[in-house]
Amino acid sequence: MTEAELDPLAKLLKLANQASSQAIRTDADRSATHDSGQASGHETAGIELALEIEQAAARHLRNSVETARVRGASWQQIGDAFGVSRQAVYKRFGAPETHDSRGEIMNKPIVDLQARTEAVFQMLSEDNYAGVKELMTFSCSRVLTKKKVTAVWNQVVAATGPLTSCTDTVTQTSDGRNVILQQINQLLSGGLVGQTMLNHEAGEWLGRVAYNGSGKITGMLIVSPLEKHNLPF
């Protein structure tokens, strides 16, 4: 697995392990330097690694906030966790993206579309349409109203019982190709599709959620696994 494929927490843990190993080497270098009177040549390595850890921690923090939002947390609740106002935390994490001098995104978190897809159906199972609507584009919310979405979900539950789990979740391009790197959803203007197997007490369904390039929902489908071909997206 490459560095780019590591999620923020995995990257942070990997760097922390490197820092621990580096600390041991630094102690050995200090001892050798003291004995020889010469520098080891690694005096700034700790600074460089600490900067990487700081950046990875910032990405993990943003990812954690995004995950909390996907799961229905309000800005007020997130602000309470930080000990600041909801306006302050929104300004830090909810503002439109900006770029640094190299053109890289600075403050827009990468959206984990697999986690978001599972969260969407979990919220439906908890009768939390408001949480799902918050993730929709305006035009999508005008079409997929609470009445329509709730009616479909109630039919699913009536036929196969409550949702028990989501499995085999993947992110795909609209033509069905799997996407390995989640970061690509910020590069594809056409958006992506999250697909998951909805395991209910008495049956299974295929759940699909279409997203635009910003990770906002543009469409939703719940169909029989036997009907997975020739879908609108």
Side-chain angles (χ1 to χ4, degrees):
M1 179 175 288
T2 66
E3 290 293 318
E5 291 172 316
L6 291 176
D7 63 48
L9 180 56
K11 180 68 178 295
L12 182 58
L13 292 175
K14 181 177 179 180
L15 290 171
N17 288 332
Q18 290 177 5
S20 178
S21 299
Q22 188 180 78
I24 296 174
R25 293 197 302 271
T26 300
D27 288 340
D29 288 343
R30 286 199 190 101
S31 178
T33 300
H34 182 270
D35 293 340
S36 66
Q38 297 181 348
S40 66
H42 301 293
E43 290 78 10
T44 62
I47 296 175
E48 294 170 356
L49 182 56
L51 286 173
E52 283 193 75
I53 292 174
E54 182 180 48
Q55 293 166 1
R59 287 192 291 271
H60 174 51
L61 178 59
R62 290 190 177 280
N63 188 67
S64 298
V65 171
E66 176 67 20
T67 299
R69 289 286 293 162
V70 167
R71 293 175 178 173
S74 67
W75 286 115
Q76 182 62 61
Q77 290 172 313
I78 295 173
D80 290 343
F82 276 87
V84 299
S85 68
R86 63 181 180 180
Q87 291 86 355
V89 78
Y90 177 80
K91 183 177 181 180
R92 180 175 177 182
F93 296 101
E97 67 182 40
T98 57
H99 299 78
D100 62 17
S101 59
R102 296 171 295 178
E104 296 181 354
I105 294 175
M106 293 176 61
N107 67 347
K108 182 177 180 179
I110 299 297
V111 178
D112 184 340
L113 295 183
Q114 291 186 16
R116 173 162 291 190
T117 299
E118 293 185 0
V120 164
F121 293 107
Q122 185 61 44
M123 285 189 283
L124 290 181
S125 73
E126 297 169 353
D127 196 27
N128 183 14
Y129 171 81
V132 177
K133 181 181 179 180
E134 191 171 342
L135 300 176
M136 295 179 182
T137 62
F138 177 74
S139 57
C140 179
S141 66
R142 294 289 299 272
V143 176
L144 298 182
T145 62
K146 181 177 181 179
K147 182 178 180 179
K148 290 182 179 179
V149 173
T150 301
V152 171
W153 187 258
N154 287 343
Q155 290 176 10
V156 168
V157 173
T160 53
L163 177 68
T164 58
S165 65
C166 294
T167 55
D168 301 325
T169 307
V170 295
T171 304
Q172 304 174 325
T173 56
S174 57
D175 60 5
R177 292 175 298 173
N178 285 0
V179 175
I180 298 176
L181 298 181
Q182 295 304 310
Q183 289 90 331
I184 202 170
N185 80 80
Q186 293 186 343
L187 304 177
L188 296 178
S189 59
L192 297 175
V193 176
Q195 176 177 289
T196 189
M197 186 64 69
L198 303 174
N199 303 303
H200 289 250
E201 287 185 352
E204 297 178 334
W205 299 83
L206 193 66
R208 288 173 65 86
V209 182
Y211 301 96
N212 64 15
S214 299
K216 283 286 191 177
I217 297 172
T218 59
M220 294 171 57
L221 285 175
I222 301 176
V223 299
S224 165
L226 300 177
E227 300 174 5
K228 63 181 180 180
H229 303 292
N230 300 319
L231 297 174
F233 62 80

